[in-house]
C-alpha cells in the first residue's frame, strides 16, 4: 500500500514536466548527450511531427548522475550502486574498485569447485534465458567472481570443501594433480593467508586515499590533496 501511494506521488510529480493541449504535448527532462541522436532516430520511426530542443542547465541546477563505463566494467556498477552514486563533481569509483572487489570476492570463497559451478551457471543463465544485455550486470558480476574464485581456489587447494591429502587411494591421480597446482595450503599455513589478506587490505586503503588525493589535485584543491590525503598516505607508509 505504501508503494502504491508513493507511486501516485511520483506520477503527480512527473506530470509537472508535461505541458499538453488537444493535439500537442511538451516533455522536459534530462537526457545523456550521447542518447539524443538515438532518441531522434527512434521517434522518426513513429512520426515526423516532433522537435527536440537541447537546453542548457539553469544556474545552480544539479544534473542527475549517469555512470559511463566500458561494457566489461558495467557489471561493477552494481557494486557502486549499493553505496550510492557519486556526485557529478566526484570521480566514478567503479573502475578503481573493480580490481579489489573481484580479488576479495575470490578470497572470500577460495573454492575452485564452487567458482566453476557459479561461473557455469551464470554463463548458461545468460545464454539459455537470453537475458537482455542491460539486465545482465549482476549476473555477469557473479560470473567474473566465479572465474576469479576458480583461480584462487585452485591455488589454495579448495575443491568443494574436500581435503585433498585425505582422498581415497583410488583417487591419488586426481589428488596429486590438484595438489601440484596448489601454491598455499591455508589449513597448514594460516599465517600466510592472514598476511596476504593484511597486505592486500593495506594496499587497498592506500590506493583509495591516493585516488582521493589525485582527484582533489586534478580539480584544483592542491592544498587539500597534499595536506589531507597526502599526509595520510605518508603516515600509513611510515607505519608500514
Amino acid at each position: 500500500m505504501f508503494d502504491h501511494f508513493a507511486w501516485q506521488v511520483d506520477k503527480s510529480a512527473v506530470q509537472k514536466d508535461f505541458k499538453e493541449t488537444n493535439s500537442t504535448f511538451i516533455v522536459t527532462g534530462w537526457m545523456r548527450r550521447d542518447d539524443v541522436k538515438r532518441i531522434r532516430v527512434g521517434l522518426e520511426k513513429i512520426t515526423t511531427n516532433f522537435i527536440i530542443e537541447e537546453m542548457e542547465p539553469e544556474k545552480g541546477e544539479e544534473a542527475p548522475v549517469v555512470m559511463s563505463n566500458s561494457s566489461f566494467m558495467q557489471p561493477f556498477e552494481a557494486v557502486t550502486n549499493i553505496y550510492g552514486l557519486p556526485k557529478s563533481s566526484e570521480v566514478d569509483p567503479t573502475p578503481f574498485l573493480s580490481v579489489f572487489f573481484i580479488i576479495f570476492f575470490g578470497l572470500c570463497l577460495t573454492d575452485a569447485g564452487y567458482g566453476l559451478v557459479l561461473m557455469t551457471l551464470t554463463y548458461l543463465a545468460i545464454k539459455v534465458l537470453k537475458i537482455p544485455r542491460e539486465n545482465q550486470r549482476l549476473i555477469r558480476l557473479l560470473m567474473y567472481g566465479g572465474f576469479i574464485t576458480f583461480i584462487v581456489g585452485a591455488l589454495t587447494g579448495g575443491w568443494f570443501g574436500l581435503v585433498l591429502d585425505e582422498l581415497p587411494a583410488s583417487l591419488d591421480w586426481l589428488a596429486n594433480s590438484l595438489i601440484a597446482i596448489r601454491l598455499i595450503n591455508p589449513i597448514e599455513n594460516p599465517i600466510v593467508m592472514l598476511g596476504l589478506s593484511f597486505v592486500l587490505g593495506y594496499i587497498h586503503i592506500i590506493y583509495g586515499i591516493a585516488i582521493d588525493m589525485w582527484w582533489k589535485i586534478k580539480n584544483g584543491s592542491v592544498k587539500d590533496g597534499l595536506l589531507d590525503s597526502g599526509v595520510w598516505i605518508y603516515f600509513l607508509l611510515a607505519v608500514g
Side-chain angles (χ1 to χ4, degrees):
M1 189 177 289
F2 174 83
D3 287 343
H4 171 74
F5 286 114
W7 292 332
Q8 300 307 311
V9 172
D10 289 343
K11 183 178 178 182
S12 299
V14 168
Q15 286 176 341
K16 291 189 298 183
D17 294 327
F18 285 71
K19 302 292 186 290
E20 192 171 358
T21 71
N22 290 331
S23 55
T24 64
F25 70 93
I26 299 173
V27 182
T28 305
W30 292 94
M31 186 187 300
R32 282 175 35 144
R33 190 179 300 276
D34 296 342
D35 290 337
V36 174
K37 182 178 179 181
R38 186 165 62 89
I39 294 293
R40 189 185 300 276
V41 171
L43 287 172
E44 285 174 348
K45 294 178 181 178
I46 303 168
T47 179
T48 57
N49 297 321
F50 71 90
I51 296 173
I52 295 179
E53 182 178 343
E54 296 185 44
M55 301 164 59
E56 291 298 321
E58 296 179 7
K59 188 176 181 180
E61 190 175 11
E62 284 288 334
V65 174
V66 178
M67 292 182 287
S68 179
N69 291 290
S70 66
S71 58
F72 181 79
M73 283 294 173
Q74 283 176 356
F76 293 95
E77 292 178 0
V79 182
T80 304
N81 284 324
I82 292 173
Y83 298 98
L85 293 170
K87 295 180 180 178
S88 56
S89 59
E90 294 175 340
V91 64
D92 177 4
T94 305
F96 304 105
L97 65 83
S98 59
V99 177
F100 286 99
F101 176 83
I102 210 68
I103 291 173
F104 293 155
F105 186 102
L107 283 173
C108 285
L109 290 179
T110 56
D111 193 297
Y114 295 147
L116 187 60
V117 170
L118 182 61
M119 180 173 58
T120 304
L121 289 178
T122 48
Y123 177 79
L124 289 175
I126 292 172
K127 293 297 181 181
V128 175
L129 300 179
K130 300 188 185 304
I131 299 171
R133 181 80 185 189
E134 60 271 15
N135 296 335
Q136 294 178 8
R137 295 185 183 184
L138 183 57
I139 298 176
R140 283 187 173 274
L141 183 62
L142 292 174
M143 186 171 68
Y144 296 164
F147 176 71
I148 296 299
T149 300
F150 172 74
I151 294 174
V152 174
L155 296 178
T156 55
W159 295 91
F160 293 112
L162 298 172
V163 180
L164 298 179
D165 303 279
E166 297 178 3
L167 288 177
S170 59
L171 293 176
D172 279 349
W173 61 273
L174 176 62
N176 293 334
S177 300
L178 298 179
I179 289 172
I181 301 173
R182 185 174 66 192
L183 295 181
I184 302 171
N185 188 339
I187 297 174
E188 294 180 359
N189 302 295
I191 300 301
V192 175
M193 285 300 293
L194 286 170
L196 176 64
S197 301
F198 179 84
V199 169
L200 282 172
Y202 179 71
I203 294 171
H204 178 232
I205 291 172
I206 294 175
Y207 177 73
I209 298 173
I211 292 170
D212 182 55
M213 181 177 71
W214 162 72
W215 189 255
K216 287 176 179 175
I217 292 173
K218 182 182 177 181
N219 286 275
S221 301
V222 179
K223 184 178 178 181
D224 286 343
L226 294 176
L227 297 182
D228 183 5
S229 306
V231 171
W232 267 110
I233 293 173
Y234 174 78
F235 172 76
L236 288 170
L237 291 174
V239 169

